[in-house]
Amino acid sequence: MSVDEKGRKMLTEFREFAMKGNVVDLAVGVIIGAAFGAIVTSLVGDVIMPIIGAATGGLDFSNYFAPLSKAVTATNLADAKKQGAVLAYGSFLTLTINFIIVAFVLFLVIRAMNTLKRKEEAAPAKPSAEVELLTEIRDLLKK
């Protein structure tokens, strides 16, 4: 088998692999997931967090830090990082709170979707035209 034939065979195998349903479904899922992630991030950052900030009087953990060096004298995190090592626990706390909010919003969305799905499954399917016709015939024969 020549190098050219091996290359064509590999290309054919790759095309078959890439066109399998699972790979295409995964690609679509990743793309939709990224778009949905942007929506949820915007919801948290632009809608929910400002409400929480207003309710807590503008509480912001992002500038909470502990200096790990005596050279750090700054009062905000950006300047403190320039001066030396700092333990930025406020950033971690902010990201943790954001994660909890995002997870809760996703939970609510998935819960709503599951509720709608259950309602669709619970609704009895309308019988086909054939079944309706056969039912009418049966009812007429009973008379």
Side-chain angles (χ1 to χ4, degrees):
M1 189 180 279
S2 71
V3 173
D4 190 36
E5 290 173 343
K6 286 182 182 179
R8 272 193 235 124
K9 183 179 177 187
M10 183 185 294
L11 187 59
T12 302
E13 288 177 25
F14 177 73
R15 185 180 67 225
E16 289 172 1
F17 167 77
M19 298 316 282
K20 283 185 180 177
N22 293 341
V23 175
V24 174
D25 291 345
L26 178 63
V28 169
V30 167
I31 292 167
I32 289 175
F36 186 71
I39 290 170
V40 172
T41 301
S42 175
L43 175 68
V44 170
D46 300 331
V47 177
I48 296 174
M49 289 307 282
I51 293 170
I52 291 173
T56 61
L59 185 62
D60 181 19
F61 299 114
S62 61
N63 271 323
Y64 289 13
F65 65 92
L68 299 176
S69 167
K70 292 185 185 207
V72 177
T73 59
T75 57
N76 66 14
L77 182 61
D79 292 337
K81 282 184 175 182
K82 292 176 187 174
Q83 293 176 345
V86 294
L87 181 65
Y89 64 89
S91 296
F92 176 76
L93 190 58
T94 300
L95 290 174
T96 302
I97 292 170
N98 284 349
F99 171 77
I100 291 169
I101 293 169
V102 168
F104 183 70
V105 169
L106 285 174
F107 167 75
L108 293 177
V109 168
I110 291 171
R111 184 173 177 219
M113 289 173 52
N114 286 340
T115 302
L116 291 174
K117 194 175 190 181
R118 276 189 229 115
K119 285 181 182 177
E120 288 176 4
E121 291 173 358
K126 184 180 177 190
S128 67
E130 288 179 342
V131 172
E132 287 180 4
L133 182 61
L134 289 171
T135 304
E136 288 177 22
I137 293 171
R138 182 197 67 203
D139 293 343
L140 287 173
L141 288 173
K142 280 185 180 179
K143 289 182 180 182

